[in-house]
Amino acid sequence: AQTVTQSQPEMSVQEAETVTLSCTYDTSESNYYLFWYKQPPSRQMILVIRQEAYKQQNATENRFSVNFQKAAKSFSLKISDSQLGDTAMYFCAFMKHAGGTSYGKLTFGQGTILTVHP
Amino acid sequence: EAQVTQNPRYLITVTGKKLTVTCSQNMNHEYMSWYRQDPGLGLRQIYYSMNVEVTDKGDVPEGYKVSRKEKRNFPLILESPSPNQTSLYFCASSLRGIYGYTFGSGTRLTVV
């Protein structure tokens, strides 16, 4: 079974600065997908970024980028130029790439609460 | 608008009184799933479905039932709710899973 660990329960950052959220995972699979989801106080779950394990290049989406270290099983999220609207809980998630039922199984970490201060 | 619709948004009920939380998606997605969110535990999967009439257990299925009679609907049924099922519940859907899931807005359930 896969496990996902987010070791930082809470983080804070000043507006306009950069912050990195950590995520590690444990799996014996070689092909998989990793995701970061954002949950603002509205509690809506929003997909932030997605990484395919067989791609060496780190994914980026505007101010959000990842540092994917496959050998270390690490998948951190970097938020640049932090904005007040980035205040949210962030979840890291893992999915096997094996077709069929594996696409129904998304395993989440415990979450990191990020607060952006003005 | 493409979305996953859950109802109700809030629900308070008593122990043992059967309830159903509805979930509907308008994106013709194959995959649908139910999660519960509890502090310090993240989201844990209850059940998922790959298509009509195809469902499977997630990590915490005890005390829950699901059905997928139509592609768009995936209701969550609590036959005899107990206080330990007090939680925030999310329904989610995806075309193929690997592109990520679209989530509903959540149902806050309290069982007293």
Side-chain angles (χ1 to χ4, degrees):
Chain A
Q2 282 66 229
T3 58
V4 178
T5 302
Q6 295 177 247
S7 58
Q8 306 153 316
E10 295 187 42
M11 296 277 287
S12 64
V13 65
Q14 293 297 125
E15 199 173 8
E17 292 187 348
T18 295
V19 64
T20 299
L21 307 184
S22 300
C23 172
T24 58
Y25 56 94
D26 185 24
T27 185
S28 57
E29 304 289 330
S30 58
N31 289 328
Y32 47 87
Y33 294 86
L34 296 162
F35 306 87
W36 278 98
Y37 279 87
K38 170 185 177 181
Q39 186 181 42
S42 67
R43 84 187 189 200
Q44 182 68 46
M45 292 286 288
I46 302 163
L47 179 62
V48 174
I49 201 164
R50 165 185 175 270
Q51 174 78 41
E52 301 171 25
Y54 56 87
K55 286 190 175 179
Q56 300 276 358
Q57 188 173 3
N58 289 325
T60 63
E61 288 286 343
N62 301 314
R63 298 182 294 106
F64 298 88
S65 61
V66 299
N67 183 4
F68 173 50
Q69 301 288 329
K70 191 172 184 179
K73 296 181 181 175
S74 170
F75 182 60
S76 59
L77 175 69
K78 186 171 86 169
I79 306 174
S80 304
D81 185 27
S82 297
Q83 300 175 0
L84 296 178
D86 295 333
T87 292
M89 178 168 279
Y90 288 81
F91 290 98
C92 177
F94 172 100
M95 176 185 290
K96 285 197 304 184
H97 176 40
T101 58
S102 72
Y103 296 156
K105 182 71 176 174
L106 192 59
T107 301
F108 286 86
Q110 305 91 326
T112 296
I113 299 172
L114 175 67
T115 303
V116 180
H117 296 287
Chain B
E1 181 189 352
Q3 59 185 358
V4 177
T5 303
Q6 279 181 244
N7 281 300
R9 208 164 149 75
Y10 298 92
L11 179 60
I12 301 174
T13 189
V14 296
T15 299
K17 186 176 181 182
K18 181 180 179 179
L19 66 91
T20 299
V21 183
T22 63
C23 175
S24 179
Q25 50 94 3
N26 62 0
M27 297 167 281
N28 202 36
H29 282 172
E30 303 287 337
Y31 291 85
M32 296 188 74
S33 190
W34 276 102
Y35 292 87
R36 60 177 287 173
Q37 181 179 356
D38 301 290
L41 297 177
L43 280 79
R44 293 178 293 166
Q45 191 175 48
I46 302 170
Y47 271 95
Y48 64 96
S49 170
M50 290 171 56
N51 212 325
V52 175
E53 302 292 3
V54 181
T55 63
D56 204 353
K57 296 177 181 178
D59 296 318
V60 288
E62 295 78 20
Y64 304 94
K65 284 176 58 176
V66 294
S67 68
R68 186 99 181 266
K69 293 183 171 53
E70 305 167 284
K71 195 171 187 178
R72 62 183 291 127
N73 295 325
F74 191 45
L76 179 69
I77 303 158
L78 285 72
E79 295 269 2
S80 182
S82 62
N84 64 12
Q85 292 179 299
T86 292
S87 187
L88 177 59
Y89 290 87
F90 285 98
C91 179
S93 74
S94 179
L95 182 62
R96 280 196 66 203
I98 62 175
Y99 300 112
Y101 274 74
T102 301
F103 282 76
S105 53
T107 297
R108 173 72 70 184
L109 172 66
T110 302
V111 183
V112 297

